[in-house]
Amino acid sequence: MERSKALFEKASRLIPGGVNSPVRAFRSVGGTPFFTQSASGSRLTTADGRELIDFVCTWGPAIHGHNPPEIKSAIAEALEKGTSFGTPNPYEVEIAERVVSMVPSLEQVRFCNSGTEATMSSIRLARGATGRSVIVKFAGCFHGHVDSLLVKAGSGALTLGNPDSAGIPAAFAAETRVLEYNDLAAAEELFKKEGESIAGVIVEPYPANCGLILPDPGFLEKLRELCTRYGSVLIFDEVMTGFRLAAGGVQEKVGITPDLTAMGKIIGGGLPVGAFGGKRELMQQLAPVGPVYQAGTLSGNPLAMAAGIAALRLLVETNPYDRLDKMGQAVRDALLEAAKEKGLALQVPQTGSMFALFFSDSPVRNYTDAIASQTSHFKTLFHEALNRGIYLPPSAYETCFISTAHEAGDIDIAIEGLTAALKAI
Ligand SMILES: *Cc1c(COP(=O)(O)O)cnc(C)c1O
């Protein structure tokens, strides 16, 4: 860790907290973050020369593992032609066609540079199209660092937004209502009270930024029904789940058609890309055809689009979802078994290549359940796993990811290491 420590010390003098995105700083698990020198397939090589099996996968994007040859060569080919044009380029049309064909609810799509831009623009579009201002979100769902979405429940005031970050005027947060995920009655009641003012509902269909939470049967269907009844825009934030759980995301798995979908992460093949799309009628409200303004100097960047095309094409060609799910199940079963032997109360929600660990007696259905879990156990597990060469997300509230580059051997090593790490708690 000598080199990582030296880099982090220097970084901390130059960059707030030494990082460009807070969770990378290891604050919630303690210790100094390692720096990554290079990454290939399922492995990271640290600046200190250690090799780690990676279950963070750059926080979601790397579904094909690190630096896959197909994406590398797509970027190299695009690079020969130039890095940015500021005019339309052919890659934009190709990726748009691909995304519209993969994601069931999309008729049109607009590309931007991050998931945050995608959700921010989606709620602006919902407000612009409906002429209403209230946005409904769910506690524990993360939609990037958008002002009016950085709000969760203030204790005791579930439906009155309190800003989660300094620097967000109360007036912005006041247009946000926060509900508990999976609470159908609360959603119905809120719509009954102020449905006519609700511009939209934004939801991670499978919340994956608060551990991993799965919907109760009927929950997402009810949100669809309420939005339809009250003329509100249903926004699925599939920045995390899109292209990961199925080619068409959760909406394909559950057969629900949102009005708008926010995308990111996998869609850029490891380069910074976001996108949002939906019904033509809604998307036509965007500039330059409609009155809702949205723009970006580097949006549709040719290198990023080429990387995204390669990532999406690989998914369609290889259809890896069953294989990923089997690996996810194997890890889940092994963790549950090890916890049982040790007498630890553990929940391992898993779907496809995503899983999370909650040290809790009962299944986690919402934010309140999630924050009641025993996070000190997770801290110990994280460091015990890292000592054994396995990199889990450095926070109890993040989801673990498996990539197609994880081979049976990696999973076996990981299961052995994680089992030993659990037993060390
Ligand atoms: C990561 C994430 C975002 C934000 O995306 P960025 O590219 O980090 O801005 C938004 N929504 C969800 C569900 C995410 O997981």
Side-chain angles (χ1 to χ4, degrees):
M1 280 294 285
E2 285 309 303
R3 180 131 191 272
S4 285
K5 277 199 174 122
L7 281 165
F8 191 60
E9 211 168 278
K10 186 166 184 189
S12 300
R13 274 183 268 130
L14 298 165
I15 306 169
V19 291
N20 285 310
S21 198
V23 74
R24 293 180 199 162
F26 277 26
R27 289 283 169 108
S28 68
V29 289
T32 303
F34 62 84
F35 279 61
T36 299
Q37 192 68 32
S38 65
S40 178
S42 62
R43 312 283 173 123
L44 298 177
T45 303
T46 73
D48 315 288
R50 279 191 81 202
E51 200 176 89
L52 305 172
I53 300 183
D54 181 19
F55 286 99
V56 183
C57 291
T58 104
W59 303 88
I63 193 166
H64 301 297
H66 294 284
N67 222 1
E70 295 86 351
I71 296 181
K72 222 163 111 175
S73 63
I75 296 171
E77 202 185 307
L79 186 59
E80 288 303 314
K81 299 174 193 163
T83 58
S84 177
F85 307 133
T87 71
N89 70 71
Y91 292 116
E92 295 172 283
V93 188
E94 186 180 343
I95 196 169
E97 187 174 32
R98 227 167 237 291
V99 170
V100 166
S101 74
M102 290 170 83
V103 184
S105 67
L106 298 196
E107 290 173 356
Q108 292 204 321
V109 61
R110 164 83 40 101
F111 283 83
C112 51
N113 304 290
S114 70
T116 295
E117 284 185 40
T119 59
M120 176 184 78
S121 303
S122 296
I123 64 169
R124 182 181 303 148
L125 180 52
R127 285 170 163 156
T130 56
R132 303 172 179 178
S133 53
V134 174
I135 295 289
V136 180
K137 78 173 289 280
F138 294 89
C141 282
F142 177 69
H143 305 293
H145 59 101
V146 180
D147 276 349
S148 55
L149 297 177
L150 266 186
V151 183
K152 63 159 192 274
S155 61
L158 260 187
T159 54
L160 270 192
N162 290 332
D164 248 10
S165 162
I168 298 176
F172 291 13
E175 302 297 338
T176 306
R177 302 288 177 275
V178 183
L179 298 174
E180 277 279 30
Y181 188 81
N182 274 330
D183 189 344
L184 277 180
E188 268 192 310
E189 196 184 326
L190 178 66
F191 267 92
K192 211 176 278 169
K193 221 166 65 192
E194 48 182 334
E196 307 294 330
S197 333
I198 296 174
V201 173
I202 185 165
V203 63
E204 291 185 70
Y206 291 0
N209 285 284
C210 184
L212 177 63
I213 298 175
L214 297 171
D216 290 348
F219 177 67
L220 295 171
E221 287 79 358
K222 184 55 140 193
L223 294 184
R224 174 66 279 178
E225 189 191 312
L226 286 168
C227 285
T228 303
R229 190 180 333 146
Y230 287 90
S232 309
V233 177
L234 178 62
I235 306 166
F236 272 13
D237 178 351
E238 296 227 44
V239 172
M240 197 72 110
T241 52
F243 313 104
R244 178 161 283 281
L245 295 176
V250 173
Q251 57 194 271
E252 177 190 321
K253 273 178 81 98
V254 301
I256 295 173
T257 308
D259 301 305
L260 287 178
T261 302
M263 292 158 283
K265 299 196 168 128
I266 289 173
I267 203 171
L271 269 66
V273 178
F276 60 106
K279 292 189 174 140
R280 185 179 317 272
E281 168 199 334
L282 262 174
M283 294 300 286
Q284 291 286 318
Q285 297 292 313
L286 283 175
V289 268
V292 179
Y293 197 70
Q294 188 275 335
T297 301
L298 288 172
S299 295
N301 174 268
L303 296 189
M305 298 295 98
I309 291 166
L312 299 179
R313 188 172 57 212
L314 258 181
L315 287 176
V316 171
E317 283 172 4
T318 59
N319 191 14
Y321 298 106
D322 281 346
R323 186 168 79 83
L324 287 169
D325 188 46
K326 289 209 174 73
M327 289 195 278
Q329 287 180 28
V331 175
R332 178 198 62 197
D333 292 349
L335 286 170
L336 288 174
E337 171 139 356
K340 200 166 151 196
E341 275 172 31
K342 164 93 182 170
L344 275 174
L346 178 69
Q347 307 291 323
V348 187
Q350 174 265 335
T351 176
S353 53
M354 304 166 73
F355 65 95
L357 294 96
F358 288 115
F359 290 94
S360 164
D361 284 323
S362 47
V364 170
R365 292 178 55 248
N366 55 38
Y367 171 79
T368 305
D369 294 347
I371 59 168
S373 69
Q374 177 62 268
T375 54
S376 64
H377 284 349
F378 184 86
K379 270 188 216 180
T380 310
L381 177 78
F382 171 83
H383 287 290
E384 291 287 342
L386 192 56
N387 288 340
R388 291 171 173 82
I390 298 158
Y391 179 47
L392 298 176
S395 160
Y397 299 123
E398 300 288 347
T399 296
C400 307
F401 296 104
I402 301 170
S403 80
T404 60
H406 286 78
E407 295 178 5
D410 294 319
I411 298 296
D412 290 344
I413 298 169
I415 284 177
E416 204 182 302
L418 289 173
T419 301
L422 265 178
K423 292 193 171 158
I425 288 175

